[in-house]
Amino acid sequence: MENSNRLAITSLIVSVCGVIIALCALGFSVYMGWLQKNNYEISVQPYITLVPTVEPGKNEYGFYLYNAGMGKGYVEHIEYFLNGRKVEGSNSDALIQIVNYFGFNKDCFAYGHPRKGDSVSLGEMNTLLALGAGVASLAQCKKTYEDFYKVLRAQNNAFTVKLRYRSIYNISYLYDSSDNSIRKI
């Protein structure tokens, strides 16, 4: 009788240990799946910023959207601000208001028009507001060219952008050019 009780207790202990090990393995598998999902999301995370650029060799003078992340970003919404106040109007109208605010000649600029769903590819400079090609040699654009260079070089710019975009995993981010920050929303 004592042997059968011992056998029953041993069987119960082995069974309980087996269940505990199985639950630990299940928990570990779920955790590893969660880590892998996070790794996939991070591995294709876009990192879109507003880059004030002065690059004479490439004829790039202006504000460009640049994606330094690992995956494409898709524009959801863009807002423009002057001295902290939102500029109202459509994308093109808002950019023209910004050019007028600085007293520039609006005919000297090339305007980007990022729409909802547009992608920002890796390593490409996407024009937001830039001097048009060859305007440096135009007489009517000479002062705008010189003054815009000063705006691009300014540390604290009156012109700021808030850009909401998403990754291919539908994770949304908000970029704020006033402090050059990106946060997950």
Side-chain angles (χ1 to χ4, degrees), residues 54-97:
V54 176
E55 189 143 350
K58 292 184 179 178
N59 224 6
E60 292 178 347
Y61 300 91
F63 292 98
Y64 296 85
L65 294 177
Y66 181 74
N67 184 359
M70 299 298 289
K72 278 188 178 184
Y74 298 91
V75 174
E76 288 183 338
H77 184 71
I78 189 164
E79 294 177 323
Y80 305 100
F81 295 84
L82 284 169
N83 294 319
R85 292 192 181 127
K86 184 178 177 186
V87 178
E88 299 295 334
S90 69
N91 189 62
S92 299
D93 292 340
L95 290 172
I96 290 171
Q97 288 178 49

Side-chain angles (χ1 to χ4, degrees), residues 98-106 109 143-144 147-148 151:
I98 291 162
V99 167
N100 290 338
Y101 170 83
F102 288 107
F104 299 147
N105 181 344
K106 66 180 169 95
F109 286 89
K143 181 162 176 31
T144 292
D147 291 345
F148 190 57
V151 169

